[in-house]
Amino acid sequence: MADIFNNIEVVLGQSLFCKVEHHIIVIDGIPLDALLHNHYPSRNLAGLIPVMPDWLDDPGERAFILSRYNCNSNEFVMPVLMCPDDCDLSCTVVVAHVVRTGIRVAWKKLGINMNSRVDLLLGYDHIGTTVDWLDKIPELTFTEPDYTSQFSKIYRLNGCGSDKRE
């Protein structure tokens, strides 16, 4: 049986609470935040934006995100969405349990990071260690070339530390 892959795109647009044009992760034609909101309307997930390194003010947060994106491990937890209000990793952060196998990149499950600010003071590596997994979201599987080419749009650093939100 052949693999069935989800379509992933990173497009420019505006989201519910962020009227500045920014990257949006679209899965099978649906923005990721809308997909999550459709399954969990009471969880306030609509309007979340991708974790974009050039929108993170803290150099430690940027370094952490880039280290996870460039991770050599075949299995890890990666922050994918964040709250547009603060644009940092201490507010609402949606993470993906990523598994890479050959030409496949799977988000085995998505969830909300539940680590406290105190945990983050101990290091960003705590992100994804305590997660409220969103069980209604099925596994999402992408081809490695599509995943890498689309996410490279977000992780291509353009003016890190500058405020792109205004």
Side-chain angles (χ1 to χ4, degrees), residues 56-70:
L56 297 170
D57 290 327
D58 183 299
E61 288 182 342
R62 280 195 306 274
F64 169 73
I65 291 301
L66 292 172
S67 73
R68 286 291 167 102
Y69 176 69
N70 293 314

Side-chain angles (χ1 to χ4, degrees), residues 71-76 97-102 106:
C71 184
N72 289 328
S73 176
N74 290 332
E75 189 168 350
F76 55 96
H97 175 194
V98 180
V99 177
R100 291 182 174 149
T101 54

Side-chain angles (χ1 to χ4, degrees), residues 64-140:
F64 169 73
I65 291 301
L66 292 172
S67 73
R68 286 291 167 102
Y69 176 69
N70 293 314
C71 184
N72 289 328
S73 176
N74 290 332
E75 189 168 350
F76 55 96
V77 175
M78 167 106 184
V80 292
L81 295 177
M82 67 182 174
C83 174
D85 292 339
D86 298 322
C87 290
D88 65 22
L89 301 178
S90 65
C91 194
T92 301
V93 174
V94 172
V95 297
H97 175 194
V98 180
V99 177
R100 291 182 174 149
T101 54
I103 66 156
R104 301 174 91 223
V105 176
W107 286 353
K108 289 296 205 181
K109 51 190 174 180
L110 293 168
I112 300 170
N113 182 63
M114 300 303 289
N115 295 98
S116 69
R117 290 180 191 264
V118 172
D119 293 332
L120 295 182
L121 291 174
L122 299 173
Y124 296 113
D125 283 341
H126 286 278
I127 292 174
T129 59
T130 305
V131 179
D132 180 9
W133 295 110
L134 303 172
D135 296 331
K136 294 178 187 176
I137 307 298
E139 177 179 321
L140 301 168

Side-chain angles (χ1 to χ4, degrees), residues 18 23 28 40 42 64 74 85 89 107 128 131 138 147 158:
C18 187
H23 292 106
D28 297 330
Y40 294 92
S42 65
F64 169 73
N74 290 332
D85 292 339
L89 301 178
W107 286 353
V131 179
Y147 184 83
N158 297 314

Side-chain angles (χ1 to χ4, degrees), residues 40-61:
Y40 294 92
S42 65
R43 297 298 299 262
N44 298 317
L45 301 172
L48 295 178
I49 62 173
V51 177
M52 297 176 279
D54 57 346
W55 281 33
L56 297 170
D57 290 327
D58 183 299
E61 288 182 342

